[in-house]
Amino acid sequence: MSCVFGFDYGSRLIGVAVGNRFTGMARPLAALPVRDGQPDWQKLDALRKEWAPDHLVVGLPLTLDGEEQPASRGARRLAEQLTKRYQLPVSLIDERHTSQEAAQRFADARAAGLRKRRDAAAIDAEAAAVILERWLTQAAAAPDSADPIH
């Protein structure tokens, strides 16, 4: 298969994107609410059933110096939960600067009249798409680097 999901971990929302290994492109799917430290598994299960991804990619929040931070633990926990729940390979990828790129994409889409201010929650899903595109680019350039990392 060629379908891959990407995740932008957050304590309130988790952005989800879908991508294609052949095209190297990704697009935002949803921003799922987090309650009591758990994503909306019902919605995520429905997305997984609809798209049938064969690999999952979680953005790992790091400091500018490349060190882990408190949010890194949450992203690692999400990766472990996804592995157990779906029995699929999960890769972690450095997500530094993805939020800024997602915000810029959102601003560009607003300027072009494609997005409204009320769509701001979509920034989390857009960040997931940026994370996934980064992974797809790396996986295409060096297939061994796409191996699951924990």
Side-chain angles (χ1 to χ4, degrees), residues 78-119:
L78 175 63
E80 290 170 14
Q81 291 173 319
L82 292 168
T83 299
K84 288 177 185 173
R85 189 173 189 97
Y86 298 126
Q87 303 296 302
L88 292 171
V90 177
S91 296
L92 292 166
I93 186 169
D94 179 353
E95 70 163 29
R96 280 179 283 180
H97 307 295
T98 56
S99 294
Q100 293 93 330
E101 186 173 336
Q104 185 59 53
R105 287 184 184 189
F106 183 79
D108 292 346
R110 279 199 65 211
L114 302 173
R115 295 280 178 115
K116 304 278 189 230
R117 185 183 308 233
R118 69 176 178 269
D119 298 330

Side-chain angles (χ1 to χ4, degrees), residues 3-6 15-19 26-32 44 47-48 50-51 122 124-126 128-129:
C3 184
V4 183
F5 270 6
V16 183
V18 62
R27 69 178 182 91
L29 273 184
L32 303 178
L44 189 51
L47 289 171
R48 180 181 174 269
E50 178 182 352
W51 291 93
D124 294 292
E126 190 70 57

